[in-house]
Amino acid sequence: MKKILDVGCGAGNLLNYLAKRNKKSLLWGIDIEKEIINRANKNKFCNREEFVLGNGKELSFKDNFFDEVYCHEVLEHVENLDKTLDEIKRVLKNKGKLKVTVPLKKSEDILIKYNKKYPVQVGHRSEERRVGKEGRSRWSPYH
């Protein structure tokens, strides 16, 4: 049975969606706000979901426990990014999937902290710069 964690789950909308799509999965959501967790528990889609009070830097799960970890628009708010990413990595299975979204400005820094090979894996060529007719750089790390 697939195990899914949503770090910073808020009111549980993502887990409710995932519960509908993954009928044979167990799902956990954590958030730091008690009122939000209470709301998530009241609105949960099914009994395979569990919403608990907690934070990403101290996850109360066994090592290599989750098949998937979601973390949407959360990492830019954490006090200790390195510790949070280490905890997520600890609870994620070796072949597990981490699905992260962060605001664009911080995305590269956060992804590189999690995975030092990220720039190479996505084809970044930081030594290249393209200059347009206006003399301004049009370099994109995605070329």
Side-chain angles (χ1 to χ4, degrees), residues 2-23:
K2 185 190 292 187
K3 297 178 203 152
I4 299 172
L5 172 65
D6 185 8
V7 177
C9 65
N13 296 333
L14 176 61
L15 277 190
N16 285 337
Y17 171 79
L18 292 171
K20 291 174 189 174
R21 293 185 51 108
N22 297 280
K23 304 266 187 227

PDB file of all heavy atoms in Angstrom, residues 2-23:
ATOM      1  N   LYS A   2       0.630   2.172  -0.914  1.00  0.00           N
ATOM      2  CA  LYS A   2       1.417   3.387  -1.032  1.00  0.00           C
ATOM      3  C   LYS A   2       1.171   4.298   0.163  1.00  0.00           C
ATOM      4  O   LYS A   2       0.038   4.481   0.589  1.00  0.00           O
ATOM      5  CB  LYS A   2       1.046   4.119  -2.313  1.00  0.00           C
ATOM      6  CG  LYS A   2       1.905   5.339  -2.585  1.00  0.00           C
ATOM      7  CD  LYS A   2       1.392   6.201  -3.714  1.00  0.00           C
ATOM      8  CE  LYS A   2       1.491   5.542  -5.042  1.00  0.00           C
ATOM      9  NZ  LYS A   2       1.138   6.460  -6.147  1.00  0.00           N
ATOM     10  N   LYS A   3       2.262   4.881   0.683  1.00  0.00           N
ATOM     11  CA  LYS A   3       2.175   5.826   1.803  1.00  0.00           C
ATOM     12  C   LYS A   3       2.609   7.200   1.315  1.00  0.00           C
ATOM     13  O   LYS A   3       3.680   7.348   0.726  1.00  0.00           O
ATOM     14  CB  LYS A   3       3.050   5.367   2.952  1.00  0.00           C
ATOM     15  CG  LYS A   3       2.612   4.049   3.541  1.00  0.00           C
ATOM     16  CD  LYS A   3       3.543   3.619   4.653  1.00  0.00           C
ATOM     17  CE  LYS A   3       3.449   2.130   4.836  1.00  0.00           C
ATOM     18  NZ  LYS A   3       4.672   1.565   5.366  1.00  0.00           N
ATOM     19  N   ILE A   4       1.748   8.199   1.590  1.00  0.00           N
ATOM     20  CA  ILE A   4       1.952   9.557   1.090  1.00  0.00           C
ATOM     21  C   ILE A   4       1.931  10.537   2.265  1.00  0.00           C
ATOM     22  O   ILE A   4       1.082  10.444   3.143  1.00  0.00           O
ATOM     23  CB  ILE A   4       0.847   9.926   0.082  1.00  0.00           C
ATOM     24  CG1 ILE A   4       0.879   8.974  -1.124  1.00  0.00           C
ATOM     25  CG2 ILE A   4       0.973  11.382  -0.360  1.00  0.00           C
ATOM     26  CD1 ILE A   4      -0.297   9.130  -2.080  1.00  0.00           C
ATOM     27  N   LEU A   5       2.864  11.503   2.237  1.00  0.00           N
ATOM     28  CA  LEU A   5       2.926  12.558   3.244  1.00  0.00           C
ATOM     29  C   LEU A   5       2.832  13.907   2.560  1.00  0.00           C
ATOM     30  O   LEU A   5       3.476  14.139   1.533  1.00  0.00           O
ATOM     31  CB  LEU A   5       4.255  12.479   4.020  1.00  0.00           C
ATOM     32  CG  LEU A   5       4.560  13.628   4.990  1.00  0.00           C
ATOM     33  CD1 LEU A   5       3.556  13.656   6.138  1.00  0.00           C
ATOM     34  CD2 LEU A   5       5.987  13.522   5.507  1.00  0.00           C
ATOM     35  N   ASP A   6       2.046  14.807   3.147  1.00  0.00           N
ATOM     36  CA  ASP A   6       1.981  16.195   2.703  1.00  0.00           C
ATOM     37  C   ASP A   6       2.503  17.063   3.841  1.00  0.00           C
ATOM     38  O   ASP A   6       1.857  17.186   4.886  1.00  0.00           O
ATOM     39  CB  ASP A   6       0.553  16.580   2.326  1.00  0.00           C
ATOM     40  CG  ASP A   6       0.436  17.989   1.748  1.00  0.00           C
ATOM     41  OD1 ASP A   6       1.483  18.623   1.504  1.00  0.00           O
ATOM     42  OD2 ASP A   6      -0.692  18.442   1.537  1.00  0.00           O
ATOM     43  N   VAL A   7       3.680  17.656   3.655  1.00  0.00           N
ATOM     44  CA  VAL A   7       4.287  18.528   4.656  1.00  0.00           C
ATOM     45  C   VAL A   7       3.744  19.935   4.440  1.00  0.00           C
ATOM     46  O   VAL A   7       3.872  20.493   3.355  1.00  0.00           O
ATOM     47  CB  VAL A   7       5.830  18.523   4.537  1.00  0.00           C
ATOM     48  CG1 VAL A   7       6.451  19.486   5.538  1.00  0.00           C
ATOM     49  CG2 VAL A   7       6.379  17.117   4.719  1.00  0.00           C
ATOM     50  N   GLY A   8       3.118  20.491   5.476  1.00  0.00           N
ATOM     51  CA  GLY A   8       2.475  21.793   5.332  1.00  0.00           C
ATOM     52  C   GLY A   8       1.146  21.638   4.613  1.00  0.00           C
ATOM     53  O   GLY A   8       0.825  22.365   3.679  1.00  0.00           O
ATOM     54  N   CYS A   9       0.346  20.706   5.088  1.00  0.00           N
ATOM     55  CA  CYS A   9      -0.868  20.278   4.377  1.00  0.00           C
ATOM     56  C   CYS A   9      -2.003  21.296   4.388  1.00  0.00           C
ATOM     57  O   CYS A   9      -2.946  21.172   3.615  1.00  0.00           O
ATOM     58  CB  CYS A   9      -1.364  18.963   4.956  1.00  0.00           C
ATOM     59  SG  CYS A   9      -1.917  19.084   6.673  1.00  0.00           S
ATOM     60  N   GLY A  10      -1.938  22.292   5.275  1.00  0.00           N
ATOM     61  CA  GLY A  10      -3.038  23.245   5.347  1.00  0.00           C
ATOM     62  C   GLY A  10      -4.345  22.537   5.660  1.00  0.00           C
ATOM     63  O   GLY A  10      -4.396  21.616   6.472  1.00  0.00           O
ATOM     64  N   ALA A  11      -5.398  22.922   4.988  1.00  0.00           N
ATOM     65  CA  ALA A  11      -6.729  22.372   5.245  1.00  0.00           C
ATOM     66  C   ALA A  11      -6.940  20.988   4.636  1.00  0.00           C
ATOM     67  O   ALA A  11      -8.023  20.422   4.745  1.00  0.00           O
ATOM     68  CB  ALA A  11      -7.791  23.334   4.736  1.00  0.00           C
ATOM     69  N   GLY A  12      -5.925  20.437   3.986  1.00  0.00           N
ATOM     70  CA  GLY A  12      -6.006  19.064   3.498  1.00  0.00           C
ATOM     71  C   GLY A  12      -6.520  18.884   2.090  1.00  0.00           C
ATOM     72  O   GLY A  12      -6.795  17.759   1.674  1.00  0.00           O
ATOM     73  N   ASN A  13      -6.635  19.955   1.334  1.00  0.00           N
ATOM     74  CA  ASN A  13      -7.196  19.841  -0.016  1.00  0.00           C
ATOM     75  C   ASN A  13      -6.392  18.912  -0.919  1.00  0.00           C
ATOM     76  O   ASN A  13      -6.966  18.104  -1.652  1.00  0.00           O
ATOM     77  CB  ASN A  13      -7.313  21.220  -0.661  1.00  0.00           C
ATOM     78  CG  ASN A  13      -8.284  22.108   0.070  1.00  0.00           C
ATOM     79  OD1 ASN A  13      -9.219  21.629   0.704  1.00  0.00           O
ATOM     80  ND2 ASN A  13      -8.063  23.405   0.013  1.00  0.00           N
ATOM     81  N   LEU A  14      -5.068  19.014  -0.863  1.00  0.00           N
ATOM     82  CA  LEU A  14      -4.244  18.147  -1.709  1.00  0.00           C
ATOM     83  C   LEU A  14      -4.414  16.681  -1.319  1.00  0.00           C
ATOM     84  O   LEU A  14      -4.584  15.819  -2.184  1.00  0.00           O
ATOM     85  CB  LEU A  14      -2.772  18.552  -1.630  1.00  0.00           C
ATOM     86  CG  LEU A  14      -1.810  17.643  -2.399  1.00  0.00           C
ATOM     87  CD1 LEU A  14      -2.133  17.629  -3.887  1.00  0.00           C
ATOM     88  CD2 LEU A  14      -0.368  18.068  -2.164  1.00  0.00           C
ATOM     89  N   LEU A  15      -4.390  16.387  -0.021  1.00  0.00           N
ATOM     90  CA  LEU A  15      -4.545  14.988   0.396  1.00  0.00           C
ATOM     91  C   LEU A  15      -5.917  14.436   0.047  1.00  0.00           C
ATOM     92  O   LEU A  15      -6.043  13.264  -0.320  1.00  0.00           O
ATOM     93  CB  LEU A  15      -4.282  14.827   1.894  1.00  0.00           C
ATOM     94  CG  LEU A  15      -2.821  14.687   2.315  1.00  0.00           C
ATOM     95  CD1 LEU A  15      -2.713  14.290   3.775  1.00  0.00           C
ATOM     96  CD2 LEU A  15      -2.046  13.730   1.450  1.00  0.00           C
ATOM     97  N   ASN A  16      -6.943  15.251   0.151  1.00  0.00           N
ATOM     98  CA  ASN A  16      -8.275  14.801  -0.265  1.00  0.00           C
ATOM     99  C   ASN A  16      -8.268  14.422  -1.741  1.00  0.00           C
ATOM    100  O   ASN A  16      -8.815  13.387  -2.135  1.00  0.00           O
ATOM    101  CB  ASN A  16      -9.326  15.879  -0.001  1.00  0.00           C
ATOM    102  CG  ASN A  16      -9.676  16.011   1.458  1.00  0.00           C
ATOM    103  OD1 ASN A  16      -9.495  15.093   2.243  1.00  0.00           O
ATOM    104  ND2 ASN A  16     -10.161  17.170   1.839  1.00  0.00           N
ATOM    105  N   TYR A  17      -7.639  15.252  -2.554  1.00  0.00           N
ATOM    106  CA  TYR A  17      -7.527  14.970  -3.987  1.00  0.00           C
ATOM    107  C   TYR A  17      -6.746  13.671  -4.218  1.00  0.00           C
ATOM    108  O   TYR A  17      -7.168  12.808  -4.995  1.00  0.00           O
ATOM    109  CB  TYR A  17      -6.841  16.146  -4.683  1.00  0.00           C
ATOM    110  CG  TYR A  17      -6.469  15.887  -6.114  1.00  0.00           C
ATOM    111  CD1 TYR A  17      -7.427  15.962  -7.120  1.00  0.00           C
ATOM    112  CD2 TYR A  17      -5.167  15.567  -6.468  1.00  0.00           C
ATOM    113  CE1 TYR A  17      -7.087  15.715  -8.444  1.00  0.00           C
ATOM    114  CE2 TYR A  17      -4.814  15.319  -7.781  1.00  0.00           C
ATOM    115  CZ  TYR A  17      -5.786  15.399  -8.761  1.00  0.00           C
ATOM    116  OH  TYR A  17      -5.450  15.150 -10.074  1.00  0.00           O
ATOM    117  N   LEU A  18      -5.612  13.541  -3.521  1.00  0.00           N
ATOM    118  CA  LEU A  18      -4.789  12.341  -3.695  1.00  0.00           C
ATOM    119  C   LEU A  18      -5.511  11.087  -3.196  1.00  0.00           C
ATOM    120  O   LEU A  18      -5.362  10.010  -3.784  1.00  0.00           O
ATOM    121  CB  LEU A  18      -3.452  12.512  -2.976  1.00  0.00           C
ATOM    122  CG  LEU A  18      -2.520  13.568  -3.574  1.00  0.00           C
ATOM    123  CD1 LEU A  18      -1.331  13.800  -2.657  1.00  0.00           C
ATOM    124  CD2 LEU A  18      -2.068  13.177  -4.973  1.00  0.00           C
ATOM    125  N   ALA A  19      -6.287  11.198  -2.133  1.00  0.00           N
ATOM    126  CA  ALA A  19      -7.042  10.063  -1.605  1.00  0.00           C
ATOM    127  C   ALA A  19      -8.062   9.564  -2.629  1.00  0.00           C
ATOM    128  O   ALA A  19      -8.276   8.357  -2.771  1.00  0.00           O
ATOM    129  CB  ALA A  19      -7.734  10.438  -0.301  1.00  0.00           C
ATOM    130  N   LYS A  20      -8.675  10.476  -3.353  1.00  0.00           N
ATOM    131  CA  LYS A  20      -9.645  10.098  -4.389  1.00  0.00           C
ATOM    132  C   LYS A  20      -8.953   9.382  -5.546  1.00  0.00           C
ATOM    133  O   LYS A  20      -9.521   8.472  -6.143  1.00  0.00           O
ATOM    134  CB  LYS A  20     -10.369  11.338  -4.911  1.00  0.00           C
ATOM    135  CG  LYS A  20     -11.294  11.960  -3.900  1.00  0.00           C
ATOM    136  CD  LYS A  20     -11.877  13.278  -4.403  1.00  0.00           C
ATOM    137  CE  LYS A  20     -12.616  14.003  -3.298  1.00  0.00           C
ATOM    138  NZ  LYS A  20     -13.069  15.325  -3.694  1.00  0.00           N
ATOM    139  N   ARG A  21      -7.751   9.798  -5.874  1.00  0.00           N
ATOM    140  CA  ARG A  21      -7.019   9.230  -7.015  1.00  0.00           C
ATOM    141  C   ARG A  21      -6.221   7.976  -6.658  1.00  0.00           C
ATOM    142  O   ARG A  21      -5.856   7.221  -7.545  1.00  0.00           O
ATOM    143  CB  ARG A  21      -6.088  10.281  -7.602  1.00  0.00           C
ATOM    144  CG  ARG A  21      -6.840  11.422  -8.240  1.00  0.00           C
ATOM    145  CD  ARG A  21      -5.900  12.369  -8.916  1.00  0.00           C
ATOM    146  NE  ARG A  21      -4.980  11.684  -9.808  1.00  0.00           N
ATOM    147  CZ  ARG A  21      -5.029  11.731 -11.127  1.00  0.00           C
ATOM    148  NH1 ARG A  21      -5.941  12.430 -11.720  1.00  0.00           N
ATOM    149  NH2 ARG A  21      -4.131  11.086 -11.847  1.00  0.00           N
ATOM    150  N   ASN A  22      -5.897   7.805  -5.397  1.00  0.00           N
ATOM    151  CA  ASN A  22      -5.082   6.677  -4.950  1.00  0.00           C
ATOM    152  C   ASN A  22      -5.873   5.866  -3.931  1.00  0.00           C
ATOM    153  O   ASN A  22      -5.655   5.977  -2.726  1.00  0.00           O
ATOM    154  CB  ASN A  22      -3.776   7.182  -4.319  1.00  0.00           C
ATOM    155  CG  ASN A  22      -2.902   7.923  -5.298  1.00  0.00           C
ATOM    156  OD1 ASN A  22      -2.196   7.329  -6.087  1.00  0.00           O
ATOM    157  ND2 ASN A  22      -2.965   9.246  -5.253  1.00  0.00           N
ATOM    158  N   LYS A  23      -6.765   5.059  -4.419  1.00  0.00           N
ATOM    159  CA  LYS A  23      -7.707   4.336  -3.549  1.00  0.00           C
ATOM    160  C   LYS A  23      -7.020   3.365  -2.594  1.00  0.00           C
ATOM    161  O   LYS A  23      -7.573   3.016  -1.568  1.00  0.00           O
ATOM    162  CB  LYS A  23      -8.724   3.583  -4.398  1.00  0.00           C
ATOM    163  CG  LYS A  23      -9.486   4.468  -5.360  1.00  0.00           C
ATOM    164  CD  LYS A  23     -10.774   4.914  -4.772  1.00  0.00           C
ATOM    165  CE  LYS A  23     -11.586   5.650  -5.817  1.00  0.00           C
ATOM    166  NZ  LYS A  23     -12.129   6.868  -5.357  1.00  0.00           N
TER     167      LYS A  23
END
